[in-house]
Amino acid sequence: MRALASLLAGISLTFTLSSGLTPDADAQDPDYGQPSEYSEPVDTYSQDELVDAVSDFFGVTAEAAASVLERVFSDLGRPVGYVAGEEVAAAAGIGLRYGEGYLTLKSGEREKVYWRGPSIGFDAGGNASRVFVLVYNLNDTDRLYQRFPGVEGSAYFVAGMGVNYQRADEITLAPIRSGVGLRAGANVGYLAYSRRRAWLPF
């Protein structure tokens, strides 16, 4: 009897201790189900990181660069990269545009990029200008090489710089142009991006 009583007491003690344990300790963790601090972050540029780059690239004040970036960041958020380059354009009602530059991603990738395309401007003649293109939602550089139509109604001017948005395949580009390139900020048309130079705009 004494042995049976000891056995029952041991079983009772084991049940009591077991019932006091949390069935799922993770369920009491306030961060349960949330991304871990060790999760791979999304590589994007902050506005502050690009202010100096845009300011130096166009030769404008940091305040002017910040004002145009503030507008774009407000509309589109943080870009994953940018294209910095130069382009030439000519227009007589209908214009043509050719450019080249370097795509730089926050992840560290960098490669040469060319673009060309038709547009409708507001004047006639030709110009050469610099262009700084913010790039969004590009997780594979191969997806950049396609046609990007302009987004209707997206053109605007801030601090002497023209901006318009282009979108294709969920990727958005925001070209920023300054000075004599302002006509490009309000064009209607598309730009085709490629790894190699091409002269046919269509």
Side-chain angles (χ1 to χ4, degrees):
M1 293 295 293
R2 182 175 298 175
L4 180 59
S6 298
L7 179 60
L8 292 174
I11 294 173
S12 176
L13 178 60
T14 301
F15 178 79
T16 301
L17 291 174
S18 297
S19 63
L21 292 176
T22 304
D24 187 352
D26 288 334
Q28 291 187 346
D29 185 346
D31 294 326
Y32 180 66
Q34 301 299 318
S36 166
E37 62 177 315
Y38 300 106
S39 298
E40 184 178 353
V42 177
D43 290 325
T44 57
Y45 284 99
S46 69
Q47 182 175 329
D48 289 341
E49 287 180 295
L50 292 177
V51 166
D52 288 341
V54 172
S55 174
D56 292 342
F57 185 74
F58 287 119
V60 299
T61 64
E63 290 77 10
S67 64
V68 69
L69 287 173
E70 182 177 2
R71 171 65 185 269
V72 179
F73 271 67
S74 176
D75 289 344
L76 303 176
R78 295 165 60 119
V80 298
Y82 61 86
V83 177
E86 299 179 341
E87 64 181 20
V88 293
I94 295 178
L96 296 177
R97 187 171 310 283
Y98 295 92
E100 63 181 73
Y102 283 91
L103 168 67
T104 302
L105 299 181
K106 179 65 172 178
S107 63
E109 294 182 67
R110 190 170 189 264
E111 59 183 73
K112 189 70 176 284
V113 175
Y114 298 91
W115 62 90
R116 79 275 182 195
S119 64
I120 298 176
F122 296 107
D123 60 356
N127 60 62
S129 61
R130 289 189 159 196
V131 58
F132 194 99
V133 185
L134 302 182
V135 181
Y136 293 85
N137 301 325
L138 182 69
N139 53 19
D140 181 353
T141 55
D142 289 339
R143 297 175 62 214
L144 176 67
Y145 302 110
Q146 59 177 308
R147 291 180 179 179
F148 284 84
V151 177
E152 185 177 357
S154 70
Y156 60 88
F157 302 94
V158 177
M161 286 173 276
V163 184
N164 73 306
Y165 300 155
Q166 303 166 336
R167 188 168 297 139
D169 194 22
E170 298 184 355
I171 302 168
T172 301
L173 307 180
I176 303 171
R177 296 177 174 89
S178 179
V180 294
L182 279 178
R183 186 188 70 236
N187 70 70
V188 177
Y190 67 82
L191 287 179
Y193 290 79
S194 61
R195 282 192 170 93
R196 297 180 180 178
R197 191 189 306 276
W199 296 109
L200 290 177
F202 305 104

